[in-house]
Amino acid sequence: MSDTPSVVAVNGSLRETSYTRTALRYVLEAAAAAGAETTLLDLGEYDLPVYDPDVDDPDVAEEAMRIVREADAIALGTPVYHGSYSGALKNFHDFCGWDEYEDTTVGLLATAGGGSYGSTLDHLRITVRGVHGWVLPHQVGLRNASSKFEADPDAIDGRRFRDPDLQERVEKLGRNLTEYAFIEPSVTSSRSAAADD
């Protein structure tokens, strides 16, 4: 195992000018600054069919799954659609399972066109727990995402955050993914272990 953590960000937005993608790139830049090797897995670049458990996984899905499987930590980013996460991310998530997520550190990020993202982050947290991923307590939601950035040709994707505190929150996710990439969480606390004696 390498001492350098591998952090992968999965962009669940297919929009060409995606705010989710931009925010995830800030996450990855912070992870890289903290010492990680980083990769952006942009689902818009993969022509994934709808998941069908009766059909062998196509090569394009296998490639994307391999990237996630080999990561030490994963950031899942999605726009908010109808109070939940995107169909593109759900479809990819259906291809994945324990082999991709078990005992893997996962960070969550959601970008909302309006003001609500809480249920989206909750839904993602539940599904990652279902495949035995370890979800960071720190998560990020951007309300009215289009208003959180302004044009800057020297910034990531030509956009910079208007609010330095929000940028710090996003970058903290990248640092946390790097810091906790190799964590081995114990689901048994000392209190419950003592109760078993």
Side-chain angles (χ1 to χ4, degrees), residues 12-48:
S13 173
L14 302 183
R15 181 173 291 191
E16 188 173 335
T17 57
S18 166
Y19 294 106
T20 305
R21 183 186 305 110
T22 298
L24 286 173
R25 286 191 167 141
Y26 275 89
V27 169
L28 291 178
E29 184 173 83
E37 293 179 357
T38 64
T39 302
L40 177 66
L41 178 61
D42 195 335
L43 295 180
E45 297 176 1
Y46 290 79
D47 188 19
L48 290 175

Side-chain angles (χ1 to χ4, degrees), residues 14-196:
L14 302 183
R15 181 173 291 191
E16 188 173 335
T17 57
S18 166
Y19 294 106
T20 305
R21 183 186 305 110
T22 298
L24 286 173
R25 286 191 167 141
Y26 275 89
V27 169
L28 291 178
E29 184 173 83
E37 293 179 357
T38 64
T39 302
L40 177 66
L41 178 61
D42 195 335
L43 295 180
E45 297 176 1
Y46 290 79
D47 188 19
L48 290 175
V50 173
Y51 175 70
D52 182 344
D54 290 331
V55 176
D56 289 340
D57 293 337
D59 290 344
V60 66
E62 286 287 353
E63 171 63 15
M65 292 161 63
R66 180 194 59 76
I67 292 169
V68 170
R69 187 180 317 114
E70 293 177 357
D72 298 307
I74 302 162
L76 296 178
T78 182
V80 175
Y81 292 154
H82 308 304
S84 193
Y85 54 101
S86 71
L89 184 56
K90 175 66 169 76
N91 187 51
F92 178 62
H93 209 27
D94 287 344
F95 277 100
C96 297
W98 290 349
D99 289 343
E100 286 69 40
Y101 287 103
E102 189 167 29
D103 297 330
T104 301
T105 301
V106 180
L108 307 177
L109 180 144
T111 58
S116 177
Y117 54 76
S119 59
T120 301
L121 294 171
D122 286 345
H123 295 169
L124 279 175
R125 184 172 294 274
I126 289 166
T127 61
V128 171
R129 281 173 37 203
V131 287
H132 298 181
W134 186 76
V135 186
L136 290 169
H138 180 75
Q139 59 188 13
V140 178
L142 281 70
R143 291 185 174 90
N144 302 307
S146 63
S147 69
K148 303 305 182 197
F149 298 95
E150 60 187 10
D152 181 344
D154 297 324
I156 294 172
D157 283 353
R159 298 171 174 158
R160 68 178 175 89
F161 280 95
R162 294 178 186 274
D163 181 355
D165 290 339
L166 182 57
Q167 179 173 338
E168 165 58 24
R169 186 166 176 78
V170 170
E171 291 173 344
K172 180 180 177 181
L173 186 62
R175 292 192 302 272
N176 279 184
L177 286 163
T178 304
E179 181 179 357
Y180 297 109
F182 298 131
I183 194 170
E184 295 182 15
S186 172
V187 295
T188 305
S189 70
S190 57
R191 176 179 288 182
S192 62
D196 291 340

